[in-house]
Protein backbone atom coordinates (compact mmCIF):
# COMPACT_ATOMS: atom_id res chain seq x y z
CA UNK A 1 0.00 0.00 0.00
CA UNK A 2 1.12 3.55 -0.68
CA UNK A 3 1.82 5.89 2.23
CA UNK A 4 0.28 9.32 1.65
CA UNK A 5 1.56 12.09 3.93
CA UNK A 6 -0.40 15.34 4.10
CA UNK A 7 1.42 17.89 6.21
CA UNK A 8 3.93 20.67 6.63
CA UNK A 9 7.24 21.34 4.93
CA UNK A 10 9.71 23.73 6.56
CA UNK A 11 13.26 24.88 6.15
CA UNK A 12 14.97 24.14 9.49
CA UNK A 13 17.24 27.01 10.60
CA UNK A 14 19.48 25.63 13.34
CA UNK A 15 21.91 27.35 15.70
CA UNK A 16 23.99 25.55 18.34
CA UNK A 17 23.84 27.28 21.73
CA UNK A 18 25.53 26.42 25.05
CA UNK A 19 22.16 26.47 26.86
CA UNK A 20 18.62 27.77 26.39
CA UNK A 21 18.55 31.56 26.84
CA UNK A 22 16.64 33.05 29.73
CA UNK A 23 14.16 35.90 29.29
CA UNK A 24 15.94 39.02 28.00
CA UNK A 25 19.24 37.18 27.54
CA UNK A 26 21.33 37.29 24.35
CA UNK A 27 23.58 34.34 23.46
CA UNK A 28 26.24 33.89 20.83
CA UNK A 29 25.63 30.73 18.85
CA UNK A 30 27.17 28.80 16.00
CA UNK A 31 26.86 29.57 12.30
CA UNK A 32 23.33 29.08 11.00
CA UNK A 33 22.69 25.79 9.23
CA UNK A 34 19.75 25.19 6.87
CA UNK A 35 18.28 21.71 6.46
CA UNK A 36 14.99 20.19 5.22
CA UNK A 37 12.26 19.79 7.82
CA UNK A 38 8.59 20.14 8.70
CA UNK A 39 6.66 17.34 10.37
CA UNK A 40 4.91 16.22 7.20
CA UNK A 41 7.97 16.32 4.96
CA UNK A 42 10.07 14.60 7.62
CA UNK A 43 7.53 11.83 8.03
CA UNK A 44 7.34 11.31 4.28
CA UNK A 45 11.13 11.13 4.00
CA UNK A 46 11.29 8.64 6.87
CA UNK A 47 8.58 6.43 5.35
CA UNK A 48 10.43 6.39 2.04
CA UNK A 49 13.77 5.64 3.70
CA UNK A 50 12.04 2.76 5.50
CA UNK A 51 11.09 1.29 2.14
CA UNK A 52 7.52 2.47 1.56
CA UNK A 53 6.17 3.89 -1.67
CA UNK A 54 5.46 7.41 -0.41
CA UNK A 55 3.68 10.48 -1.73
CA UNK A 56 3.75 13.92 -0.09
CA UNK A 57 0.94 16.48 -0.20
CA UNK A 58 1.80 19.95 1.06
CA UNK A 59 2.48 23.56 0.12
CA UNK A 60 5.70 25.59 -0.10
CA UNK A 61 6.44 29.13 -1.19
CA UNK A 62 7.71 30.20 -4.58
CA UNK A 63 11.18 30.80 -3.17
CA UNK A 64 14.59 29.26 -2.65
CA UNK A 65 13.56 27.32 0.44
CA UNK A 66 10.67 25.81 -1.50
CA UNK A 67 12.97 24.62 -4.28
CA UNK A 68 15.37 23.23 -1.68
CA UNK A 69 12.64 21.24 0.09
CA UNK A 70 11.25 19.78 -3.15
CA UNK A 71 14.73 18.66 -4.18
CA UNK A 72 15.48 17.12 -0.80
CA UNK A 73 12.23 15.15 -0.72
CA UNK A 74 12.79 13.89 -4.25
CA UNK A 75 16.29 12.78 -3.24
CA UNK A 76 14.79 10.48 -0.58
CA UNK A 77 12.46 8.92 -3.16
CA UNK A 78 9.26 10.73 -2.15
CA UNK A 79 6.75 11.46 -4.94
CA UNK A 80 6.16 15.25 -4.91
CA UNK A 81 4.25 16.00 -8.13
CA UNK A 82 1.14 17.04 -6.14
CA UNK A 83 3.10 19.49 -3.94
CA UNK A 84 1.49 22.94 -4.28
CA UNK A 85 3.40 26.22 -4.63
CA UNK A 86 2.03 29.38 -3.03
CA UNK A 87 2.61 32.76 -4.61
CA UNK A 88 1.28 34.53 -1.50
CA UNK A 89 3.21 33.01 1.41
CA UNK A 90 6.85 32.16 1.99
CA UNK A 91 7.93 28.60 2.66
CA UNK A 92 7.50 27.64 6.31
CA UNK A 93 10.52 27.83 8.57
CA UNK A 94 11.49 26.35 11.93
CA UNK A 95 13.95 28.15 14.17
CA UNK A 96 15.85 25.56 16.20
CA UNK A 97 18.15 26.08 19.18
CA UNK A 98 20.28 22.97 19.77
CA UNK A 99 22.01 22.46 23.11
CA UNK A 100 25.09 20.24 23.75
CA UNK A 101 22.94 17.40 25.15
CA UNK A 102 21.27 17.03 21.76
CA UNK A 103 17.95 18.47 22.93
CA UNK A 104 16.25 21.25 21.00
CA UNK A 105 13.82 24.13 21.33
CA UNK A 106 11.80 24.92 18.20
CA UNK A 107 9.62 27.81 17.04
CA UNK A 108 7.74 27.27 13.76
CA UNK A 109 6.65 30.01 11.37
CA UNK A 110 4.02 28.17 9.26
CA UNK A 111 4.13 30.33 6.11
CA UNK A 112 2.75 28.43 3.12
CA UNK A 113 1.70 25.51 5.32
CA UNK A 114 -1.32 27.57 6.37
CA UNK A 115 -2.39 27.73 2.74
CA UNK A 116 -3.42 24.09 3.08
CA UNK A 117 -7.13 24.82 3.50
CA UNK A 118 -10.04 22.40 2.92
CA UNK A 119 -10.47 23.65 -0.65
CA UNK A 120 -6.88 22.60 -1.40
CA UNK A 121 -7.51 19.23 0.24
CA UNK A 122 -10.54 18.80 -2.05
CA UNK A 123 -8.17 19.12 -5.00
CA UNK A 124 -6.26 16.09 -3.73
CA UNK A 125 -9.38 13.91 -3.47
CA UNK A 126 -8.28 11.54 -6.25
CA UNK A 127 -5.04 10.90 -4.31
CA UNK A 128 -6.58 10.63 -0.83
CA UNK A 129 -9.48 8.32 -1.64
CA UNK A 130 -7.33 5.32 -2.70
CA UNK A 131 -4.66 5.89 -0.02
CA UNK A 132 -3.40 2.83 1.84
CA UNK A 133 -2.02 4.61 4.91
CA UNK A 134 -2.70 8.32 5.38
CA UNK A 135 -0.36 10.19 7.73
CA UNK A 136 -1.53 13.50 9.21
CA UNK A 137 -0.16 15.92 11.79
CA UNK A 138 -1.22 19.27 13.21
CA UNK A 139 1.23 21.76 11.72
CA UNK A 140 -1.50 22.40 9.15
CA UNK A 141 -5.02 23.74 9.95
CA UNK A 142 -7.20 21.30 11.89
CA UNK A 143 -10.16 21.73 9.52
CA UNK A 144 -7.92 20.56 6.67
CA UNK A 145 -6.97 17.48 8.69
CA UNK A 146 -10.68 16.79 9.18
CA UNK A 147 -11.33 17.25 5.46
CA UNK A 148 -8.54 14.80 4.58
CA UNK A 149 -9.91 12.20 6.98
CA UNK A 150 -13.33 12.52 5.36
CA UNK A 151 -11.85 12.03 1.88
CA UNK A 152 -9.81 8.98 2.90
CA UNK A 153 -12.23 7.36 5.34
CA UNK A 154 -13.44 4.88 2.72
CA UNK A 155 -10.54 2.51 3.31
CA UNK A 156 -7.28 4.19 4.28
CA UNK A 157 -5.67 3.51 7.62
CA UNK A 158 -5.40 6.89 9.35
CA UNK A 159 -2.26 7.61 11.36
CA UNK A 160 -2.60 10.94 13.18
CA UNK A 161 0.41 12.45 14.91
CA UNK A 162 -1.35 14.97 17.15
CA UNK A 163 1.51 17.45 17.29
CA UNK A 164 1.51 20.26 18.18
CA UNK A 165 -1.18 19.16 20.64
CA UNK A 166 -4.73 20.45 20.25
CA UNK A 167 -8.12 19.44 21.53
CA UNK A 168 -9.51 16.66 19.33
CA UNK A 169 -13.14 15.67 19.16
CA UNK A 170 -14.33 12.09 19.27
CA UNK A 171 -15.12 12.05 15.55
CA UNK A 172 -11.48 12.68 14.62
CA UNK A 173 -10.20 10.28 17.29
CA UNK A 174 -12.52 7.54 16.03
CA UNK A 175 -10.54 7.39 12.77
CA UNK A 176 -7.07 7.23 14.38
CA UNK A 177 -5.42 3.84 14.01
CA UNK A 178 -3.08 4.74 15.56
CA UNK A 179 -3.06 8.10 17.30
CA UNK A 180 0.63 8.87 17.96
CA UNK A 181 1.56 11.43 20.61
CA UNK A 182 4.54 12.08 22.84
CA UNK A 183 4.29 12.23 26.63
CA UNK A 184 3.59 15.99 26.72
CA UNK A 185 0.92 15.81 24.01
CA UNK A 186 -0.80 12.88 25.73
CA UNK A 187 -1.02 14.83 28.97
CA UNK A 188 -2.23 17.96 27.21
CA UNK A 189 -4.97 16.19 25.27
CA UNK A 190 -6.22 14.43 28.41
CA UNK A 191 -5.47 17.17 30.93
CA UNK A 192 -3.61 14.51 32.95
CA UNK A 193 -1.28 15.17 35.89
CA UNK A 194 2.47 14.71 35.48
CA UNK A 195 2.44 11.63 37.69
CA UNK A 196 -0.15 9.79 35.63
CA UNK A 197 1.18 6.51 34.26
CA UNK A 198 1.45 6.44 30.49
CA UNK A 199 -0.23 3.06 30.23
CA UNK A 200 -3.23 4.67 31.91
CA UNK A 201 -3.01 7.68 29.55
CA UNK A 202 -2.95 5.37 26.52
CA UNK A 203 -6.01 3.50 27.72
CA UNK A 204 -7.78 6.80 28.40
CA UNK A 205 -7.07 8.00 24.84
CA UNK A 206 -8.62 4.79 23.51
CA UNK A 207 -11.62 5.30 25.75
CA UNK A 208 -11.85 8.84 24.32
CA UNK A 209 -12.34 7.31 20.89
CA UNK A 210 -8.99 6.38 19.27
CA UNK A 211 -8.87 2.91 17.72
CA UNK A 212 -5.26 2.45 18.82
CA UNK A 213 -2.71 4.64 20.59
CA UNK A 214 1.06 4.97 20.67
CA UNK A 215 2.72 7.25 23.23
CA UNK A 216 6.39 7.89 22.50
CA UNK A 217 8.60 8.37 25.57
CA UNK A 218 11.99 9.27 24.11
CA UNK A 219 14.76 7.30 25.80
CA UNK A 220 12.13 5.24 27.65
CA UNK A 221 10.66 3.80 24.44
CA UNK A 222 6.94 3.77 23.69
CA UNK A 223 3.60 2.53 25.02
CA UNK A 224 1.21 0.80 22.62
CA UNK A 225 -2.48 0.34 23.39
CA UNK A 226 -4.96 -1.40 21.10
CA UNK A 227 -7.62 -4.08 21.26
CA UNK A 228 -4.91 -6.54 22.31
CA UNK A 229 -4.08 -4.60 25.48
CA UNK A 230 -1.26 -2.29 26.54
CA UNK A 231 2.48 -2.94 26.15
CA UNK A 232 5.64 -0.95 26.87
CA UNK A 233 8.28 -1.29 24.15
CA UNK A 234 11.78 -0.25 25.30
CA UNK A 235 14.07 2.12 23.43
CA UNK A 236 17.58 1.37 22.19
CA UNK A 237 20.42 2.86 24.22
CA UNK A 238 22.47 5.02 21.84
CA UNK A 239 24.63 8.17 21.96
CA UNK A 240 22.53 11.27 21.25
CA UNK A 241 23.80 13.97 18.89
CA UNK A 242 20.56 15.71 17.83
CA UNK A 243 16.95 14.79 18.60
CA UNK A 244 15.51 17.05 15.87
CA UNK A 245 13.05 15.05 13.76
CA UNK A 246 13.37 11.87 15.81
CA UNK A 247 9.64 11.77 16.51
CA UNK A 248 8.94 12.22 12.81
CA UNK A 249 11.34 9.38 11.99
CA UNK A 250 9.28 7.22 14.35
CA UNK A 251 5.98 8.22 12.73
CA UNK A 252 7.21 7.71 9.17
CA UNK A 253 8.77 4.35 9.95
CA UNK A 254 5.62 3.19 11.72
CA UNK A 255 3.54 4.19 8.70
CA UNK A 256 5.90 2.33 6.38
CA UNK A 257 5.50 -0.87 8.39
CA UNK A 258 1.72 -0.52 8.59
CA UNK A 259 1.65 -0.18 4.80
CA UNK A 260 3.28 -3.63 4.72
CA UNK A 261 0.42 -4.95 6.88
CA UNK A 262 2.72 -5.42 9.89
CA UNK A 263 1.11 -5.65 13.34
CA UNK A 264 1.16 -2.35 15.27
CA UNK A 265 3.48 -3.60 18.02
CA UNK A 266 6.03 -4.82 15.47
CA UNK A 267 5.70 -1.55 13.56
CA UNK A 268 6.50 0.34 16.76
CA UNK A 269 9.56 -1.85 17.40
CA UNK A 270 10.83 -1.02 13.92
CA UNK A 271 10.02 2.68 14.40
CA UNK A 272 11.85 2.75 17.73
CA UNK A 273 15.00 1.47 16.02
CA UNK A 274 14.63 4.01 13.18
CA UNK A 275 14.34 6.81 15.71
CA UNK A 276 17.35 5.55 17.69
CA UNK A 277 19.53 5.67 14.59
CA UNK A 278 18.28 9.13 13.63
CA UNK A 279 19.36 10.82 16.88
CA UNK A 280 22.98 9.84 16.24
CA UNK A 281 23.31 12.36 13.38
CA UNK A 282 22.49 16.02 12.96
CA UNK A 283 19.33 17.30 11.33
CA UNK A 284 15.97 15.71 10.63
CA UNK A 285 15.69 14.21 7.12
CA UNK A 286 19.47 14.21 6.77
CA UNK A 287 19.72 11.83 9.74
CA UNK A 288 17.25 9.16 8.56
CA UNK A 289 18.81 5.75 7.91
CA UNK A 290 17.92 3.27 5.19
CA UNK A 291 15.82 0.18 5.91
CA UNK A 292 18.85 -2.11 5.92
CA UNK A 293 20.46 -0.13 8.76
CA UNK A 294 17.30 -0.38 10.85
CA UNK A 295 17.02 -4.11 10.25
CA UNK A 296 20.67 -4.52 11.19
CA UNK A 297 20.11 -2.73 14.52
CA UNK A 298 17.06 -4.87 15.27
CA UNK A 299 18.96 -8.07 14.46
CA UNK A 300 21.92 -7.00 16.61
CA UNK A 301 19.63 -6.14 19.51
CA UNK A 302 17.84 -9.49 19.25
CA UNK A 303 21.17 -11.30 19.25
CA UNK A 304 22.35 -9.42 22.34
CA UNK A 305 19.12 -10.18 24.19
CA UNK A 306 19.44 -13.87 23.34
CA UNK A 307 22.90 -14.12 24.88
Amino acid sequence: MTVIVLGSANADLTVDVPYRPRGGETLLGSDLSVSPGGKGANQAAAASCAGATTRFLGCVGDDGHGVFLREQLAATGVETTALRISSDRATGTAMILLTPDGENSIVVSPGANHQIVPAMVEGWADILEPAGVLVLSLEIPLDSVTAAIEKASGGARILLNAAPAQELDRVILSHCDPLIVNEHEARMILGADDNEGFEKCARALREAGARSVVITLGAQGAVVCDEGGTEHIPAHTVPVVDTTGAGDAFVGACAAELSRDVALRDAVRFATAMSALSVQSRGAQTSYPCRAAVEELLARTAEEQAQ
Side-chain angles (χ1 to χ4, degrees), residues 59 66 70 76 81 89 145 149 167 179 193 214 218 237 252 255-257:
C59 187
R70 292 197 301 275
T76 64
T81 55
R89 302 285 292 272
V145 170
I149 289 173
E167 288 187 11
L179 170 72
D193 295 330
V214 178
T237 302
E257 291 302 277

Side-chain angles (χ1 to χ4, degrees), residues 24-38:
E25 182 179 15
T26 299
L27 289 180
L28 287 178
S30 68
D31 290 343
L32 179 73
S33 68
V34 182
S35 58

Side-chain angles (χ1 to χ4, degrees), residues 14-251:
T14 304
V15 176
D16 294 287
V17 293
Y19 56 88
R20 291 174 181 80
R22 295 176 287 271
E25 182 179 15
T26 299
L27 289 180
L28 287 178
S30 68
D31 290 343
L32 179 73
S33 68
V34 182
S35 58
K39 295 194 75 63
N42 289 347
Q43 291 162 4
S48 183
C49 289
T53 300
T54 309
R55 192 166 191 178
F56 178 66
L57 308 179
C59 187
V60 297
D62 187 13
D63 51 32
H65 283 157
V67 173
F68 172 65
L69 294 179
R70 292 197 301 275
E71 291 175 345
Q72 293 299 306
L73 278 170
T76 64
V78 176
E79 163 59 54
T80 61
T81 55
L83 181 64
R84 302 296 175 82
I85 300 173
S86 170
S87 59
D88 301 323
R89 302 285 292 272
T91 299
T93 54
M95 290 149 278
I96 302 171
L97 299 182
L98 182 65
T99 51
D101 60 359
E103 292 296 328
N104 57 63
S105 297
I106 303 174
V107 177
V108 174
S109 175
N113 295 306
H114 273 192
Q115 297 284 83
I116 304 174
V117 295
M120 184 177 287
V121 174
E122 178 67 33
W124 287 318
D126 60 334
I127 300 172
L128 292 168
E129 288 170 1
V133 176
L134 174 61
V135 181
L136 299 161
S137 55
L138 302 182
E139 283 187 346
I140 62 173
L142 184 58
D143 56 354
S144 299
V145 170
T146 302
I149 289 173
E150 291 173 353
K151 289 297 177 187
S153 60
R157 183 165 187 169
I158 308 295
L159 187 164
L160 174 62
N161 177 214
Q166 301 183 36
E167 288 187 11
L168 300 174
D169 62 35
R170 193 174 185 89
V171 174
I172 290 178
L173 287 173
S174 68
H175 291 283
C176 298
D177 190 18
L179 170 72
I180 299 183
V181 289
N182 66 21
E183 54 219 273
H184 310 295
E185 293 148 2
R187 289 180 177 127
M188 187 176 296
I189 292 170
L190 290 171
D193 295 330
D194 284 355
N195 57 3
E196 288 278 1
F198 289 108
E199 289 84 356
K200 183 177 180 181
C201 284
R203 289 192 292 271
L205 286 168
R206 277 206 79 212
E207 290 166 4
R211 298 184 187 182
S212 60
V213 176
V214 178
I215 301 179
T216 58
L217 305 173
Q220 281 69 55
V223 170
V224 181
C225 183
D226 59 13
E227 60 185 9
T230 306
E231 181 179 352
H232 174 259
I233 294 175
H236 299 263
T237 302
V238 296
V240 177
V241 174
D242 182 2
T243 59
T244 304
D248 297 330
F250 182 100
V251 170

